[in-house]
Every structure is written in C-alpha cells, then in structure tokens.
Amino acid sequence: MSLTLPAVLWLGLCLGQKIMAQNEFLPQPILSAQPGRMVAIGKTLTLLCQTPYWDLECALLKGENWEPLERWTLSQSGNTFLFSLYSVRASDGGNFRCIYYTRINNKQSLPSNSLELVVTGVYTKPSLRAWPGPLLIPGTNVTLRCQAWVGGLTFSLLRAQTWDLLQRQTPAGDRADFLLPAVGAWDPQGYRCVYFHPVAPSAWSTPSDVLDLVLIGSHLKPSFSALPSRVVAPGGTVTLKCQGPHQGVIFALLSARTLEPLQLQKPSRMDQNWVLFKLSTGKANETGNYSCAYYVTSSELSQISETLEIWVMDSLPKPTLSAWPGPEVALEGNVTLWCRGPLRAVCLALFREGEARPLQIRYPGLDGVRFPIANVSAAHAGRYSCRYHTDSDGHIPAEPSDWLLLVVADPGNRNLLFTALSSAFFLLLAFLLLTAFLCHRRKQSRAKSLSLPAAGAGQAEDLRSCRHSRDARKPMAETGISTVGAQKRQEYLTPDLLDPETEDPQDVTYAQLNPDILKRGAEGTPDPTPEPSLYAVIAGQ
C-alpha cells in the first residue's frame, strides 16, 4: 500500500512536533537583512527570519528586550518570515534577533543570531586619505586618516566591500589615524571610514568615499613627455604624453609630490599603448611636478615614470655664458662654453653672432649646459651667446645672454710676445738694482763729508777743512741733508768763500774759517773729541 503525499506531510509534521516536544528549546532561526544591514536614514529595510519548520509563529526582537516590537509586519512564505521597517529613523538602529513559537503548545525557540542594523546619514560624510599616498611600495607602512567636522566622536575603519570593522578609535579631536603596518604583496582592498556618537553606536555618519590602496609593482615604468614644450604661457594648455610597454591598459596622471591620481585614461584603441593628458595652467611663475604610470591590475601599478616639471611663464629668463678655462684659446686647443640659468625644463641653445640657427641644443643639468668646442681654428673666433630654446608656437619670448668674445691666438706669436716681455722685465729689474746701488754709495759719501774735525784755540787761524760741492747750492729738501746740520755748517762757513762754480761733487776745496766763530766756540763748551776724517787740514805755519 503506497502512501499518498498528504499522508507523508502529515506524518512528517507529527514527527517534528514530537521531536520539538522532547526538547526544552527549539532550534534557533537565522536572521538576515535585505538589501543589507546598513540603511540610509528615511529608507526602507526588510529583515528575514528563516525557521527550520513550517506552520509556526515568529517575532522580531531588538536588543535585550524579549518582548516583540510594536513596529513589525509578519507574513508567512513557507518557513521564512518577513519584517519590514519603513522610513527608518536614527533610533531604529541597533541589534536585532528573531524567535518562533509552535502553534500547538506555544513552545519557544532559541533566539537567532544577532544582526546589527546601522542607520547611515545621521552626520555629514568624513574624508579618508592615505599618508604618504595611496600608491604603496610593498613592505612599507601606510596611515589612513579619517577627518570629520566635529569633535568628541568615535571613528571606525571599515573594509569597503564587506563593511567589516577593522579598527575603532575615540579621539579627543576631529580626526583619527589608522595605521596599516607593512603592506605586503597582497591584493589591497578598498577602505571606508565613519564616525558616530558613543551613546548611539548604530547611528553613523554617511560613509566616506572608497579609498583604494594600490601597490607599485616591478613592471617597467612608462615614458613621459610634454607637447610641445614643458613651458607654457599663463592660462594655456599643455599636453602630457604617457607611453608604456603594454597595449590597452589604463594610464594614470599622478602628482609627483603626493602620488595621487589626477586623471585616469584608457587608450582610444586596444592596440594603442599611449594616452594624452590635457592639463590647464594657471597664472605666471607657477610650476608643477607630474608623473604617470599604468595599471597592471586593479590593485597593482607599474613603476612611476620620471618627474616632469611644467613651468608657467610670460618669458624665459636670461641665462649667463662663460668660457672655461678662459675666453682666449690657442689654435687647435679646446674650450668649453658654459651656459647657466634657473630653468631645468627647457633646452639651452648656443648661438654665434651673424648666424640665425643654433650651433648646439641641449637639456640643462643641475649646473646648466656645457657646449664643448674641440680643435679650435681661426673660424671659431667671434662673439657667442646662449638662450632658452622651446619648440612651442613662439608666444613665449626668450632673452639671450650677454655676448661672450672668443679669441683664438697663434701659439708662435704668443711665444715671441712672452720672450719680449721677459727680456724687458729683466732689463727693468737690472736698471732698478743699479740705481739703488748708486744712491746707496752717494749717501755714504755724503755722510762722511758732514763729519768735521774739532780744532783747538791755538790752531783756529790756520785750520781749513770744508767739503764743498754743488749740493751746497741746492735747497735742503732736495739734497736730503737735515736742516739742523745745514744751519750749523752755515755758521762756520763764510758766504764769500763758497765756490758756486764747482761741478765735480767729488772735488774738495779748502775755505778759510771765520775766526770769530771759532773763537767763540773755543771760549765756550769744548768740542767733542774729533773723529777720524778723510779730509783734515792742519795749519802749521
């Protein structure tokens, strides 16, 4: 005898009721939320309580209160009970559970798992930033800062996809810093942050925007250039080209200082490996540093390109030009013209007077540009200047440096000139030494002529000793003889005995001494002992 379907269902229900009757508590149900456990304020949320049996009654509980809620709707759909919360308020957040009862003996089940219902939008949205930036090198630390607009609140860091709580802080100020240590070679997840009052932990602010952390991988860095030039007029637009080794990947324009993505762009064709970023400039004398990279995956970036410095200028500055080792160079020698200026983003060009086209064009380094000229010939002589050179449309004028005169000298003529100058120098030195020697001899002779011997009282009439020369007729300042000594000799010498016609300074004449002066000298203080003299005349008559 085969059992019909109604008989089987009735038998299973009886067995289930018998099993439940043997236990003090029935198995717990499962509670879930649709579309999720987070709901914006003013929206509608549905809670689902799934039981293991049919033909039961179900109740929704909040917190630790075991009494059914006043605001709930029960509708049976198999073994799942639906509870809808309309126009959710901030006070509707919290922990929820559900239970079910048997219809026969009103026996109660164990409560379900706890489900926290969060109401968002109670406070304004915070900001979430990464320090030092969202692009990370594997093995380094990163700090996520959540910034609110009021203080004294609790902050939570959440995983963006699952809303799992990662960290929680209660700072005294209006921000919280969450440290993620040693970011490894794993797939970084997006992050969000919220804040709430400690009294109502289920009434959150609007969640922050998702912050994605991206690891910088080992893939080759792209090339980065500016079109047409890295110098642009104020208010103009510069085009930045980023080109990588892979086709069809997404490129990112980055701020070189913070490594924050400024623009994201995909090539217009799948077989294209480059993109063009349009960048508008601001006022004059502003600069900006940029770089670019491409995404290998959604969470892995290539190496960063070289930094590109963009200058916004009305006119290019005036550089300086110098020669090393000097502006005079010998034939077949080498010389380097050194052009320096404040810009490192624009090429420097070397010009020669009379020629419109530049001789050399180079990018400057930290110390400018060196233009070498090897094997110098007479054709290299002339005036040179340098200026910044740009490939733009010509709206930015470039002021040249001052002219530098380059002189090319013949080595043979230089040797003859050096020999002539050396000979003249030695002749002049010999003349000066001879002149000094003669002056020294003359001073010695003059010093000896001024030493007069002393005479006694009995010898005054016959004493004659006087050296007379042409210098006696010259002023004292010209002869170099002291004024005091000249006055004393003038007292002893009679004016009529001086011979003005004597020409030879070495010729010595003897003059009659004034007896009155000698007599007064003998009657007064005796003269000191006479020193030996080359000129001494003794009167022996």
Side-chain angles (χ1 to χ4, degrees):
M1 177 178 175
S2 60
L3 297 176
T4 61
L5 180 59
V8 173
L9 294 176
W10 179 82
L11 180 60
L13 179 61
C14 293
L15 291 176
Q17 297 288 345
K18 183 177 181 180
I19 294 174
M20 288 187 293
Q22 295 176 355
N23 297 324
E24 183 178 357
F25 288 101
L26 302 176
Q28 66 180 163
I30 300 174
L31 183 63
S32 60
Q34 284 185 352
R37 65 183 187 90
M38 301 184 65
V39 57
I41 191 169
K43 300 296 181 179
T44 299
L45 179 72
T46 301
L47 300 177
L48 291 78
C49 185
Q50 185 176 3
T51 63
Y53 310 110
W54 292 4
D55 193 21
L56 301 172
E57 293 183 358
C58 188
L60 183 65
L61 311 176
K62 182 179 180 182
E64 301 299 330
N65 187 7
W66 287 76
E67 294 295 330
L69 290 177
E70 296 180 358
R71 297 175 63 245
W72 58 277
T73 302
L74 175 62
S75 62
Q76 184 177 0
S77 175
N79 61 340
T80 302
F81 297 83
L82 305 179
F83 300 89
S84 297
L85 300 178
Y86 301 98
S87 187
V88 174
R89 299 167 296 179
S91 58
D92 290 336
N95 292 318
F96 288 83
R97 293 182 177 90
C98 68
I99 57 176
Y100 61 90
Y101 308 90
T102 59
R103 290 180 179 272
I104 298 176
N105 52 8
N106 200 27
K107 196 171 184 178
Q108 179 179 309
S109 69
L110 293 173
S112 68
N113 57 298
S114 178
L115 177 67
E116 184 181 10
L117 178 63
V118 176
V119 180
T120 63
V122 180
Y123 307 100
T124 58
K125 180 171 63 175
S127 63
L128 183 63
R129 294 183 176 274
W131 183 263
L135 305 184
L136 308 174
I137 300 175
T140 59
N141 299 336
V142 61
T143 298
L144 303 185
R145 172 169 292 181
C146 187
Q147 178 78 50
W149 312 113
V150 291
L153 302 177
T154 299
F155 290 81
S156 293
L157 180 66
L158 310 172
R159 198 175 296 279
Q161 296 179 356
T162 61
W163 298 94
D164 295 335
L165 175 65
L166 299 177
Q167 297 183 37
R168 178 173 290 180
Q169 287 189 24
T170 306
D174 58 351
R175 65 185 183 186
D177 292 335
F178 302 99
L179 176 64
L180 300 180
V183 177
W186 45 273
D187 187 14
Q189 300 291 325
Y191 297 90
R192 293 180 186 267
C193 75
V194 295
Y195 62 94
F196 51 87
H197 198 280
V199 177
S202 298
W204 289 4
S205 66
T206 301
S208 69
D209 295 332
V210 177
L211 176 64
D212 292 319
L213 299 182
V214 180
L215 292 179
I216 300 176
S218 58
H219 291 263
L220 296 177
K221 61 184 177 183
S223 61
F224 198 38
S225 58
L227 302 175
S229 172
R230 288 191 282 178
V231 177
V232 61
T237 301
V238 61
T239 301
L240 305 178
K241 181 179 181 180
C242 186
Q243 184 172 0
H246 303 293
Q247 299 176 350
V249 297
I250 298 177
F251 290 85
L253 177 64
L254 309 174
S255 169
R257 184 177 61 88
T258 61
L259 293 182
E260 292 186 4
L262 303 177
Q263 298 183 34
L264 297 178
Q265 190 171 338
K266 195 172 183 178
S268 57
R269 302 193 310 268
M270 290 301 298
D271 59 346
Q272 187 172 301
N273 63 343
W274 54 269
V275 295
L276 298 177
F277 295 103
K278 299 291 185 179
L279 186 65
S280 299
T281 60
K283 59 184 180 180
N285 300 325
E286 286 186 346
T287 59
N289 296 312
Y290 303 92
S291 57
C292 76
Y294 57 91
Y295 282 89
V296 180
T297 63
S298 59
S299 59
E300 184 180 0
L301 203 66
S302 68
Q303 296 185 30
I304 308 300
S305 70
E306 300 293 338
T307 300
L308 200 61
E309 189 175 23
I310 304 299
W311 292 76
V312 183
M313 306 191 71
D314 291 319
S315 62
L316 298 178
K318 179 179 179 179
T320 60
L321 184 64
S322 60
W324 189 87
E328 185 176 350
V329 59
L331 283 172
E332 300 181 356
N334 298 327
V335 66
T336 299
L337 301 184
W338 188 6
C339 186
R340 288 170 290 179
L343 296 183
R344 296 191 302 272
V346 190
C347 294
L348 284 167
L350 180 67
F351 291 85
R352 183 163 53 192
E353 187 178 19
E355 299 182 15
R357 299 180 61 86
L359 302 178
Q360 298 183 43
I361 301 176
R362 294 190 178 186
Y363 265 111
L366 296 177
D367 57 350
V369 173
R370 289 178 171 85
F371 299 104
I373 302 178
N375 196 17
V376 174
S377 64
H380 289 102
R383 298 204 305 171
Y384 291 81
S385 69
C386 68
R387 69 170 179 258
Y388 286 103
H389 182 77
T390 175
D391 296 331
S392 62
D393 51 8
H395 292 301
I396 304 175
E399 186 178 1
S401 67
D402 295 333
W403 289 105
L404 174 68
L405 179 61
L406 186 65
V407 179
V408 180
D410 188 354
N413 296 335
R414 290 172 59 92
N415 294 336
L416 292 176
L417 179 61
F418 177 75
T419 303
L421 292 176
S422 299
S423 301
F425 173 75
F426 283 113
L427 289 176
L428 179 60
L429 181 61
F431 175 75
L432 293 177
L433 291 176
L434 180 59
T435 304
F437 176 73
L438 293 176
C439 291
H440 181 68
R441 292 294 302 272
R442 182 177 296 179
K443 288 182 180 180
Q444 286 183 344
S445 300
R446 190 175 301 157
K448 292 179 180 181
S449 66
L450 294 177
S451 300
L452 296 176
Q459 300 173 342
E461 296 179 357
D462 299 324
L463 181 59
R464 294 179 181 180
S465 174
C466 177
R467 181 177 179 273
H468 174 60
S469 64
R470 187 186 308 165
D471 296 336
R473 293 178 291 146
K474 297 181 179 180
M476 297 304 171
E478 297 181 6
T479 58
I481 304 175
S482 64
T483 307
V484 178
Q487 293 176 355
K488 289 184 179 180
R489 292 201 308 276
Q490 202 68 20
E491 293 177 357
Y492 288 93
L493 298 177
T494 56
D496 56 338
L497 294 179
L498 296 176
D499 186 7
E501 301 298 332
T502 305
E503 295 294 333
D504 189 0
Q506 302 298 329
D507 187 14
V508 180
T509 61
Y510 298 93
Q512 182 75 28
L513 297 178
N514 191 334
D516 295 334
I517 300 301
L518 292 176
K519 185 176 180 180
R520 288 198 304 269
E523 293 176 354
T525 304
D527 294 334
T529 304
E531 296 181 358
S533 176
L534 295 177
Y535 307 98
V537 179
I538 302 175
Q541 298 178 359

